[in-house]
Structure formats: C-alpha cells, structure tokens
Amino acid sequence: MKSTPLDPSQLYKPCNVEQLRFSSTEELEDIDIVVGQQRAVDAVKLGIHMHKNGYNIFAMAPSGTGKLTTVRQLVEHEASRQCIPSDWCYVNNFSQPAKPTAIKFMPGHGKVFKQDMEQLIEELSIAIPAAFDGDEYRSRTGELESESRRREISELSQLREEAANAHIILTETATGYAFSPANENNEIISPEQFNKFDKDKQHEIQKTIFDLQERLAKLLKNFPIWRKETKRKLQALNREVAEQAVNHSIDDLIEKYAKQEAVLSYLNDVQKDIIEHVLDFLPRSEKMLPFMELTQESNPLKRYCVNLMVDFSGKKAAPVIYEDHPNYSNLVGRIDHQAYMGSLVTDFTMIKPGALHKANGGYLIIDARKLLFQPYAWDTLKRTLQSGEIRIESLERALSLISATSLEPEPIPLNLKLILMGEPVIYYLLSEYDPEFHDLFKIAADFDQSVSREDNDHDYARLLATIARREKLRPLSQNAVARVIEQSSRMTGDAEKLLTHLRSIKDLLTESDYWADSNGHEHITNSDVQQAIDHKTHRLDKVREKLYENIHRGTVLIDIEGKVTGQINGLTVLQLGEFSFGQPCRITATTRLGTGKVVDIERETELGGAIHSKGVLILSSFIAARYSRKTPFSIAASLVFEQSYGHIEGDSASLAELCAILSSLAQIPLRQDLAITGSVNQLGNVQPIGGVNEKIEGFFDVCAKKGLTGTQGVIIPATNIKHLMLRWDVVHAAQSGQFNIYAVTTVDDAIELLTGMEAGTVNEQGVYQPGSFNALVEAQLLQFTKIKKEFIRKSGD
C-alpha cells in the first residue's frame, strides 16, 4: 500500500534564475509579439501570399491573446513590399446625374486631378465673365439685337406708311395696335364723322382696315420667329465665345490626360457641359427678384468638382486598415444628404468611402464578433467579396424601405485580403451554419494560448522586455522576470507551459509597475510582482471569503477530521470573471438492496449537467463489471452533493463519488482529512481534471482556517502532477509536513489512502484476498443478491 505524498519539488516548478543571463530587461532586445505561434503565423503567411479568390483569413483566438498585434505585424511587413494601389474618384455623369462615374488613377494622381479641376473651374470663373464682358462681344450682341429691332421697326413703318396713303392711321394702345380712318389732313375722324359718310365709302374704309389688320397680324406672328432667330444667333455667339474661353483653358488638361481614356472622356463631357451652361459662370443679374434667386441651384459649378474617394498620395505601402466599428455604412460607404429648401438632396460629392474603399488593394482587418453584431453587415460583406466590386447603396434603399430617388454610383472593383479575427467558437459556428463561409475564408489561423516552457524562458523574458518598453513601464529585474514566468505557468494551469495571453501579461506588468512606483523601486522586483498578484486576488475574492467563512462557522458542513462511512470531501472549482477558486463540498452515498440502479440526485433534480451524469453512469458500470460479473447487480445507490444549490457539471467528482459508494457498500469509513478529485473510467483508471491547483488550495485554505494537523491533504490524479503550480504557502506547508498531496493512478490507490487498508487483488480463482476492501464490497453485493433470491423464492411460494 502506497501512502507517500508527493515531494514538495513536484508541487511547484520554479524558474531557473541562472538561465536568465541579465540583470534587468533593459539589456534585452525587443522581440516580435508572436512567441510560440508558429502554426498561426504560417497560416497567416500562406493566406497573405495566396492571391486567389476565397483565400481570406480567419484568425482564431480568444480576445486578448495578441492576435491583432501579430496579424498586423505580418500584414504590415507584407504590405511594405507591395505596390501602392490606385486612387479612386467619383465624378458627375452629365448624361445620367443619378449614376456618378468612378475613375481610377495612379497612386497620388487622384489628388492632382482634383486640384487640376478646381484650378480649371477657377480659371473659367474668371475667363468666361471676362470674355462676355469684352467690347467685341458687346458690339456683336448689340448688332444682332439692333438688327432685330430695325427689322421689326422697318416692317411696321412700311405698314404704317401704306396705311397712311390710304388715309388710315396705325396707333399703339395699351392692348396692342389699332387702325383708325383719317381725313385728308391725316387727322383721325370721330365716329360721328365716319357715320356721315355714305355706305359705299364706309364699306371701302372698313375693307381697307380689315386688310391692314390681316397684314398686321401676319407681321406680329413673324416677330417671335425673328426674335428666336436672333436668340439663336446670340446663343451661337455665346457658344463661340464660350468655346474660345473654355478650349483655351481645357486643352492643356486634355493633352495632360490624353492617355487615360476615362479621364479624357470625362473632360470632353465637361467641355460640352460648360459650353451649354456657360451662363452659370456669369454673375447673376442684380435685377433678379428674390423668389427667382431661390429657384436657382445653390452652387451650379459643384457638378464639376471631383470627389476623391481614395487618396494614397504620400503612402509608401499598401494600406492596412483595422475597422473597429464594422457596420453597414462603415464597410461599403454611404451617401449623405443635406437639407435644401425643405427637402433632402444629395449629389455625387456627398458619397463617402467605407473601409473596403480605404483598404482596396491592401488588407482589411475586422473583429468577427463586432461584425456579426451589426445588422446586414455580414451578408453585405459576403456579397461584396463574391461580386468583387464595392457597390454603394443606402441600407434603406437596399431593404426597399424608401422609394425616393437616390444615387447609384458606379461600382468600384475590389481587390483586397480580408482578415477576420474571432474566438474559435465563432469560426466553428460559421463553418457549421453558413454554407458560403468556407468559399470565402479558406485559411484558418489558430492561435494558441500557451507555449512550451522548455527552452523558452529567454524569449519570454524578451517578450516581457518588449511589452514593458511599449507600455512605458519600468524594466523588470531578473527575479521579477522569473516570478512572472512562474505566474504565467500558473495562469495556464500547466507547469510545463507559458501563457501567451498578452492582455493578461500586460495587466500584470502594469500593476507591478504601479507597486514598484509606490515602493520607490527603479526596477520592477519580484516583490512588486507578488504584490500585484496578491492585490488582484484580494480585490476579487469576496465570494471565496464568504464561502470559506460559512464553512468555518459550520453553516456549510465540511469535516476535516475523523472517518465517516459513505461520506467524502470532493473538490469543485468556481469561476467568477477573471478569478477562479476551489471549494470543498461534501459528497454522500447510500446503498441498499435494489435492481442495479445508481441514482444521481443532481440529475434527477435537473441540477446536474450531461457530463456529470456521464461520470455517474461510468462509475456504475465499473462497479457492476468489477464485482458482479457472474451474479446479478443487486444494488440501489444514491449520490448527492450536500448543500449544493446550483448547477453542477463535469466528471471530476466521479472518483470521489465512486469511493463514497464503495465505502457505503463495504461499511468502511473514509478519512475526512483528505479531499479527492479526479475522474474515473470504466476500467478503474483515474483520469486528469482541470483546475487542480485551485482545488488543492481551496481545501488547504479551509484546513488552515481550522488549523493544520499534519494529516490533512488532497488526492489528485497522477496525470495532473505536471500541472501543479501551487501557492507558496501550500508548498511550504507540504515541506514542513503539515499538508500532503497524494497522486493516484487507480481507484484502488485512492481507496487505500482513504481507508488505510489494502484494496485487494483477485487470485487465479477470481476471488479477492480475504479481509481486503474489495472483498468486503464483493461480499456485500453477494449478500444483496442472496437476499434478493430468497425474497423472490418466498414470493413465489
């Protein structure tokens, strides 16, 4: 029977300070924040270099592991070796203003073109008014207008003269022209005088007036036609003058952009539109009424502006964009509106770029969780990647919530590498439920939260030095680095691993720096690190303190002395935010004659999870297979976690539950000064569990509160030895023989420790050695079977 506790050297793996060949981290060089992430780094590099559709990257890791920093470092390194992508502009589509045109430029040339157009409009705003204000233009317009007036006057004069020869006077009235008869002296006669004429003369005069009126009517009909001709001549003159002014200024631009067809086509359209709307460049008439001025466009020259969507002037590498708020508009861009005369108006200058525009030709990094929380953002992003173009459309219009007219900008071709970052569960959920996911994200970069501790202490020290410098913290002393390394192993729950969760490391260093400052230290020392660890524990352990207080006061019943049949101290772990701690709990079992059923009271009351129920079924199978292979399994047993009022999950208590049932069967009491944890399989082998350090420390704290006796301790699976990184007070108690940790590999090992008697093995006849624990259990089960058979026999009689 083995009852030797673990050696204290097995309870804690200290950092070998002699391997840290420096006095402080000031002496260490920086290192990339990618320690131990070679698998993820290789995946990211593959995704970056694969220039095929669908080879976007999903970086899997919990928040705070430094995946964003790692991805950015790799992507920025690759981006520095790539060409700078093209600029993009939106310009007015003069034939279809609701569909602005997208124009592509060489990097930095978009800004130049925008300035060229601004300069052109500025020049024309001066040149065109000057051309129309010149003496030559005034003279020619005066001639055309004078000629038109002379023609009208000439025709009217000729008609007036013919009328006068017939003694008819043409007069102008408020309502138009009128013909009146006159005497020999060309004086208009009155109606009384006209009535004195004989009838024939009256008819003659009336006929003459009627003929003159017909000629006048025809003449007046010609006046608008002549005026239109004059207007056309004036328009032709305006066009001629405008062409001279415009062509002189725009020809240089046409020559400059002659090799760019899209720009050349746009400049030709600009040239035509300016000539057609040359009056927009002229000062408004001072005689224009106020209501007329309101009907004019606020800035008619705005249609010649250039909306520079993407400007890479001054850039030296391909863009690397991290979008922190990936909603619909921030991804694909938006179309703004402004209030004008009681309504909302927009134009191509109000088109705003999104993250896809800014990262086009480079790399876009998005947090998957934030993306999925934004309505329609995920579907829009997928559709954009699939189509290979960025189409700007308001969300209201896309959902058909409004029917008002809006802009439909020409789509811009998309060419970028998208990198999503999220927890593994998001990746696996998308893989399972989104059939399009793997078509778009073929590369999974799986970041690890820990790295092997072997031969990595020096690199880890460089990592700490890098973080300290970047966060502007004090350098760490050699002993401080060793303490952080040890705490890092503790946080991973594995003495052979180091934590790569950068946020946790940075927080520890930041708080250690605070205590170093409070203690007046130039460097962060190991005492500062320990103070930071202790203070964080203190500010988070209120619930633990209350639970342990209830145990100490007897409110929660936990025995740490003596022996009790069918009762054992199990160990659980509670996780509250960033703080986890172990809590002892009493497990009891009762046994009786039955039909081979083990009742899990936690499951029956729906307080036990599926994994816990699985553990109970496994231990039930183990008992039946070991002790009742040739006889009926005539037992009824019940298990319960006493004074537990919440949900219980996990199989780490199955070993304790098994020992409690066997104790009840054999009627052999179990030591209460030992707590036990571990899961068990159907063959009786003890399997590792999680949270072993917290569980041991939980029982130690309870025992220490009531007083250590030297016999108290914890039984753990032997496979958990490599995970031990216990607190120093627990290690010191083990060194002084006040507290013991035992490691077991089988159920029999645990039974021997808990009962103090031999578990017993079977001989060649398949019988356990007399007086052993297993023999007592088997004997009790045989007794149950005998009683059952006797009961059945009597019932049959």
Side-chain angles (χ1 to χ4, degrees):
M1 180 175 66
K2 296 181 180 179
S3 59
T4 305
L6 294 177
D7 189 271
S9 63
Q10 297 176 279
L11 307 181
Y12 189 86
K13 184 179 180 180
C15 176
N16 188 351
V17 180
E18 295 180 357
Q19 293 183 352
L20 304 178
R21 298 177 181 177
F22 56 87
S23 58
S24 75
T25 55
E26 285 178 305
E27 305 169 17
L28 300 179
E29 298 178 352
D30 284 351
I31 191 174
D32 290 339
I33 313 287
V34 290
V35 175
Q37 302 289 1
Q38 195 57 46
R39 177 189 293 105
V41 169
D42 291 342
V44 173
K45 288 181 177 179
L46 175 63
I48 291 173
H49 295 140
M50 285 290 291
H51 301 293
K52 299 291 183 181
N53 292 335
Y55 280 88
N56 296 300
I57 303 168
F58 194 106
M60 291 189 290
S63 176
T65 53
K67 59 183 180 296
L68 174 58
T69 304
T70 302
V71 168
R72 263 191 166 163
Q73 285 180 352
L74 296 172
V75 167
E76 287 174 355
H77 179 266
E78 181 64 22
S80 65
R81 300 161 52 188
Q82 294 183 357
C83 297
I84 304 172
S86 303
D87 292 348
W88 284 93
C89 298
Y90 271 118
V91 295
N92 187 27
N93 185 340
F94 296 101
S95 60
Q96 293 180 294
K99 297 182 178 180
T101 303
I103 300 181
K104 179 180 179 181
F105 290 93
M106 294 290 289
H109 289 200
K111 183 177 182 180
V112 174
F113 180 69
K114 178 180 175 71
Q115 294 171 348
D116 286 344
M117 286 301 300
E118 291 173 351
Q119 185 176 354
L120 173 65
I121 300 305
E122 185 178 349
E123 289 177 0
L124 293 179
S125 298
I126 298 173
I128 291 177
F132 281 88
D133 197 37
D135 293 337
E136 181 181 355
Y137 175 76
R138 290 181 179 179
S139 175
R140 294 179 65 181
T141 54
E143 289 177 3
L144 291 174
E145 291 173 354
S146 298
E147 182 182 350
S148 177
R149 286 195 297 271
R150 284 196 302 270
R151 186 176 182 182
E152 293 179 9
I153 293 171
S154 175
E155 293 292 336
L156 280 174
S157 297
Q158 183 178 349
L159 183 61
R160 185 179 283 112
E161 185 177 345
E162 291 180 7
N165 292 335
H167 297 290
I168 302 296
I169 303 298
L170 177 61
T171 59
E172 292 186 29
T173 65
T175 57
Y177 293 96
F179 289 98
S180 301
N183 56 23
E184 295 295 335
N185 297 324
N186 287 329
E187 295 175 353
I188 297 175
I189 61 176
S190 63
E192 291 80 8
Q193 292 175 323
F194 179 78
N195 290 332
K196 291 179 181 180
F197 295 150
D198 56 48
K199 296 297 184 182
D200 292 338
K201 189 171 183 178
Q202 286 182 4
H203 286 303
E204 183 182 355
I205 294 172
Q206 289 174 345
K207 184 177 181 302
T208 303
I209 291 175
F210 182 74
D211 292 340
L212 290 170
Q213 286 176 338
E214 284 186 344
R215 291 180 60 188
L216 177 63
K218 291 180 180 179
L219 182 61
L220 291 177
K221 286 182 180 180
N222 288 332
F223 282 1
I225 297 174
W226 297 343
R227 290 170 184 170
K228 285 181 181 179
E229 290 179 359
T230 304
K231 187 176 181 180
R232 282 195 294 270
K233 292 178 180 179
L234 286 172
Q235 288 177 342
L237 175 61
N238 290 341
R239 180 179 292 274
E240 179 184 346
V241 174
E243 286 178 351
Q244 292 176 354
V246 173
N247 292 346
H248 179 72
S249 298
I250 207 170
D251 282 347
D252 292 339
L253 279 184
I254 291 177
E255 182 180 354
K256 181 178 180 179
Y257 295 98
K259 295 182 179 180
Q260 295 178 250
E261 294 183 5
V263 181
L264 191 60
S265 175
Y266 170 70
L267 291 175
N268 289 331
D269 291 341
V270 168
Q271 185 178 22
K272 294 176 183 177
D273 191 78
I274 291 176
I275 292 172
E276 291 175 2
H277 299 85
V278 70
L279 295 180
D280 291 339
F281 288 82
L282 301 178
R284 296 182 182 180
S285 173
E286 296 180 358
K287 297 180 181 179
M288 185 179 292
L289 296 176
F291 73 88
M292 293 178 64
E293 186 175 357
L294 287 175
T295 61
Q296 300 294 314
E297 188 180 348
S298 60
N299 181 12
L301 303 184
K302 191 177 182 181
R303 62 179 178 271
Y304 306 117
C305 293
V306 175
N307 184 358
L308 183 57
M309 293 286 288
V310 182
D311 178 22
F312 288 116
S313 60
K315 301 293 183 181
K316 297 181 180 179
V320 177
I321 303 298
Y322 172 69
E323 179 53 55
D324 185 56
H325 185 46
N327 61 19
Y328 180 90
S329 298
N330 287 349
L331 285 176
V332 299
R334 67 183 189 277
I335 302 173
D336 288 342
H337 293 74
Q338 67 178 11
Y340 181 69
M341 295 183 63
S343 62
L344 294 176
V345 297
T346 187
D347 57 52
F348 72 97
T349 63
M350 297 185 196
I351 302 173
K352 305 299 181 184
L356 291 169
H357 295 92
K358 299 172 185 176
N360 200 5
Y363 303 87
L364 176 60
I365 305 172
I366 301 176
D367 187 300
R369 182 174 175 272
K370 294 179 180 178
L371 175 68
L372 294 171
F373 273 142
Q374 298 298 327
Y376 306 102
W378 173 242
D379 287 337
T380 301
L381 182 62
K382 289 193 300 179
R383 186 170 60 250
T384 302
L385 293 173
Q386 289 165 345
S387 64
E389 59 183 24
I390 311 171
R391 187 179 297 276
I392 302 177
E393 185 179 21
S394 66
L395 186 58
E396 298 85 355
R397 184 179 178 85
L399 299 176
S400 301
L401 298 178
I402 60 172
S403 59
T405 58
S406 184
L407 299 181
E408 297 179 24
E410 180 183 359
I412 293 177
L414 178 67
N415 178 28
L416 58 72
K417 186 69 66 174
L418 178 61
I419 303 168
L420 286 186
M421 300 184 305
E423 296 184 356
V425 65
I426 297 177
Y427 175 84
Y428 296 124
L429 286 174
L430 289 173
S431 300
E432 181 70 21
Y433 295 108
D434 191 335
E436 300 173 330
F437 178 70
H438 282 295
D439 292 334
L440 299 173
F441 295 90
K442 298 181 183 295
I443 300 295
D446 199 352
F447 285 78
D448 201 344
Q449 293 192 71
S450 62
V451 61
S452 175
R453 184 171 169 180
E454 185 177 0
D455 299 326
N456 273 327
D457 285 354
H458 184 72
D459 285 343
Y460 206 77
R462 289 179 60 194
L463 174 65
L464 300 180
T466 303
I467 295 175
R469 273 193 281 269
R470 291 187 180 182
E471 299 299 322
K472 296 181 172 52
L473 306 176
R474 288 171 172 77
L476 284 78
S477 68
Q478 185 186 58
N479 289 330
V481 170
R483 185 67 190 94
V484 172
I485 289 175
E486 293 165 357
Q487 180 64 14
S488 175
S489 291
R490 162 73 183 218
M491 288 190 286
T492 64
D494 193 330
E496 298 175 357
K497 299 287 186 180
L498 291 172
L499 186 70
T500 58
H501 194 267
L502 297 183
R503 184 173 63 197
S504 299
I505 300 171
K506 186 183 74 173
D507 291 346
L508 176 59
L509 296 187
T510 302
E511 294 176 29
S512 300
D513 181 76
Y514 168 80
W515 292 112
D517 181 62
S518 299
N519 297 328
H521 296 158
E522 293 184 3
H523 295 74
I524 298 174
T525 65
N526 59 336
S527 61
D528 299 322
V529 176
Q530 187 60 47
Q531 195 169 0
I533 295 170
D534 293 341
H535 194 274
K536 182 174 183 178
T537 301
H538 174 69
R539 65 178 183 262
L540 295 175
D541 73 342
K542 185 188 77 171
V543 175
R544 181 181 70 172
E545 183 179 312
K546 297 296 182 183
L547 289 174
Y548 291 176
E549 181 183 344
N550 287 335
I551 294 173
H552 181 65
R553 297 174 64 187
T555 306
V556 175
L557 302 178
I558 297 290
D559 291 335
I560 59 172
E561 293 179 338
K563 293 184 177 182
V564 180
T565 301
Q567 175 178 303
I568 196 169
N569 289 323
L571 296 170
T572 61
V573 172
L574 296 181
Q575 178 78 40
L576 299 175
E578 296 181 357
F579 184 62
S580 61
F581 60 93
Q583 180 189 9
C585 59
R586 175 179 288 179
I587 299 173
T588 59
T590 58
T591 55
R592 56 202 174 277
L593 177 65
T595 59
K597 182 178 180 181
V598 177
V599 177
D600 178 12
I601 294 177
E602 306 298 333
R603 179 182 61 187
E604 298 297 324
T605 57
E606 298 184 353
L607 290 177
I611 298 177
H612 176 262
S613 299
K614 176 185 176 182
V616 173
L617 293 174
I618 289 173
L619 68 88
S620 174
S621 299
F622 166 78
I623 296 174
R626 170 175 275 198
Y627 302 107
S628 300
R629 294 186 67 184
K630 299 178 181 180
T631 58
F633 190 41
S634 305
I635 182 178
S638 61
L639 284 167
V640 70
F641 281 71
E642 303 289 357
Q643 292 183 286
S644 71
Y645 307 102
H647 192 76
I648 294 175
E649 181 58 298
D651 62 351
S652 63
S654 60
L655 176 60
E657 292 169 327
L658 175 58
C659 292
I661 291 176
L662 296 179
S663 169
S664 177
L665 280 171
Q667 288 297 295
I668 300 297
L670 302 177
R671 291 175 59 182
Q672 301 300 297
D673 56 357
L674 291 179
I676 186 170
T677 182
S679 71
V680 66
N681 64 18
Q682 293 190 110
L683 303 177
N685 298 319
V686 179
Q687 302 170 139
I689 43 81
V692 64
N693 293 298
E694 290 81 2
K695 290 177 178 179
I696 294 172
E697 291 165 358
F699 191 67
F700 172 82
D701 289 338
V702 170
C703 294
K705 187 76 172 178
K706 292 186 176 182
L708 295 174
T709 62
T711 63
Q712 297 149 336
V714 174
I715 300 172
I716 65 170
T719 47
N720 277 123
I721 294 175
K722 58 181 175 292
H723 300 134
L724 294 178
M725 286 295 290
L726 295 171
R727 287 194 327 242
W728 288 348
D729 55 341
V730 181
V731 177
H732 293 159
Q735 288 175 338
S736 60
Q738 294 181 303
F739 196 77
N740 306 291
I741 292 94
Y742 301 93
V744 296
T745 57
T746 65
V747 174
D748 291 339
D749 294 340
I751 288 294
E752 291 178 353
L753 283 168
L754 290 166
T755 62
M757 60 186 299
E758 291 287 342
T761 58
V762 293
N763 57 23
E764 295 178 355
Q765 289 74 34
V767 178
Y768 286 102
Q769 60 192 64
S772 67
F773 183 87
N774 287 328
L776 295 176
V777 173
E778 187 177 50
Q780 181 62 66
L781 288 173
L782 289 173
Q783 182 67 22
F784 282 156
T785 301
K786 182 179 180 181
I787 295 172
K788 184 176 181 179
K789 289 180 178 179
E790 183 68 21
F791 179 77
I792 294 173
R793 187 184 64 78
K794 289 182 179 180
S795 299
D797 293 342

